[in-house]
Amino acid sequence: EAQVTQNPRYLITVTGKKLTVTCSQNMNHEYMSWYRQDPGLGLRQIYYSMNVEVTDKGDVPEGYKVSRKEKRNFPLILESPSPNQTSLYFCASRSRGRGETQYFGPGTRLLVL
Amino acid sequence: GQSLEQPSEVTAVEGAIVQINCTYQTSGFYGLSWYQQHDGGAPTFLSYNALDGLEETGRFSSFLSRSDSYGYLLLQELQMKDSASYFCAVSLNTPLVFGKGTRLSVIA
């Protein structure tokens, strides 16, 4: 089954404690991205990657890091989480091409105390 | 940069037709997509317009006019299960850029 997986699905942490949210896709997609979703603000892009070892900032990259060492994985790293990073996070992937469908993971709900 | 504008909320009656508009300011995009998101779920693909005109997929249709920088999603024969948020998105040579979404409430 074609899918994007994320872990963990839910996470409660404290300010300053480093965390990683994993993302993996099994569709051999070139493009992967991370979004955060907050009420009234829609889906805002954090970082994206167009292929292995190629990453770039989205609209809200501050406080986040990513890496793309393998095509299937695109982890999101919060080195020192703060309460304003409390949000719902989605990983997504799609194939290179003009009209290709973008597939989303199930989401990770993060609470930073 | 890119920006997409959608109404924040729309309410419609079960069985009726509703249109959700999307206006955009962006340069050099490939097409306009629409995604649906139910509460607690992930966005899922509905429709894509690469060319101007209407694309129909069952009860859902989507329209694009590049000259007017405008598109819309048309939902017919509304059902209660259509209550969700709907996002328009532009397709560039990167992952998609989304509007802020329109929350559709279908009432009996």
Side-chain angles (χ1 to χ4, degrees), chain A residues 17-105:
Chain A
K17 185 177 182 181
K18 181 179 178 180
L19 67 92
T20 299
V21 184
T22 64
C23 173
S24 183
Q25 50 96 1
N26 64 359
M27 296 167 278
N28 202 37
H29 285 166
E30 290 84 4
Y31 295 169
M32 296 187 73
S33 52
W34 278 101
Y35 298 86
R36 62 177 287 174
Q37 186 172 33
D38 304 288
L41 298 179
L43 290 155
R44 294 183 294 167
Q45 197 172 97
I46 302 171
Y47 269 95
Y48 64 91
S49 169
M50 296 174 70
N51 216 323
V52 175
E53 302 291 2
V54 181
T55 63
D56 209 346
K57 296 177 181 179
D59 297 322
V60 287
E62 294 78 19
Y64 304 94
K65 285 176 57 178
V66 294
S67 67
R68 188 93 180 272
K69 294 184 171 62
E70 306 164 286
K71 197 171 187 179
R72 64 182 292 129
N73 296 323
F74 190 45
L76 179 70
I77 303 158
L78 285 72
E79 294 269 6
S80 182
S82 62
N84 64 13
Q85 292 178 297
T86 292
S87 187
L88 177 59
Y89 292 87
F90 287 103
C91 180
S93 74
R94 76 176 179 98
S95 182
R96 182 171 50 208
R98 298 188 171 192
E100 296 298 323
T101 300
Q102 184 154 295
Y103 294 86
F104 285 81

Side-chain angles (χ1 to χ4, degrees), chain A residues 31 35 37 94 98 102, chain B residues 35 37 48 91 93-94 96:
Chain A
Y31 295 169
Y35 298 86
Q37 186 172 33
R94 76 176 179 98
R98 298 188 171 192
Q102 184 154 295
Chain B
Y35 284 72
Q37 184 183 29
Y48 174 73
S91 174
N93 193 26
T94 61
L96 299 180

Side-chain angles (χ1 to χ4, degrees), chain B residues 73-88:
Chain B
L73 178 69
L74 192 73
L75 296 83
Q76 302 182 72
E77 301 173 16
L78 278 174
Q79 302 175 9
M80 300 301 285
K81 68 178 182 179
D82 297 329
S83 292
S85 292
Y86 293 84
F87 295 87
C88 59

Side-chain angles (χ1 to χ4, degrees), chain B residues 46-92:
Chain B
L46 282 179
S47 185
Y48 174 73
N49 292 73
L51 304 174
D52 284 8
L54 195 67
E55 292 283 341
E56 297 181 73
T57 310
R59 295 188 297 113
F60 295 179
S61 303
S62 57
F63 173 83
L64 175 63
S65 169
R66 289 177 184 266
S67 59
D68 295 323
S69 298
Y70 165 73
Y72 66 73
L73 178 69
L74 192 73
L75 296 83
Q76 302 182 72
E77 301 173 16
L78 278 174
Q79 302 175 9
M80 300 301 285
K81 68 178 182 179
D82 297 329
S83 292
S85 292
Y86 293 84
F87 295 87
C88 59
V90 290
S91 174
L92 304 159

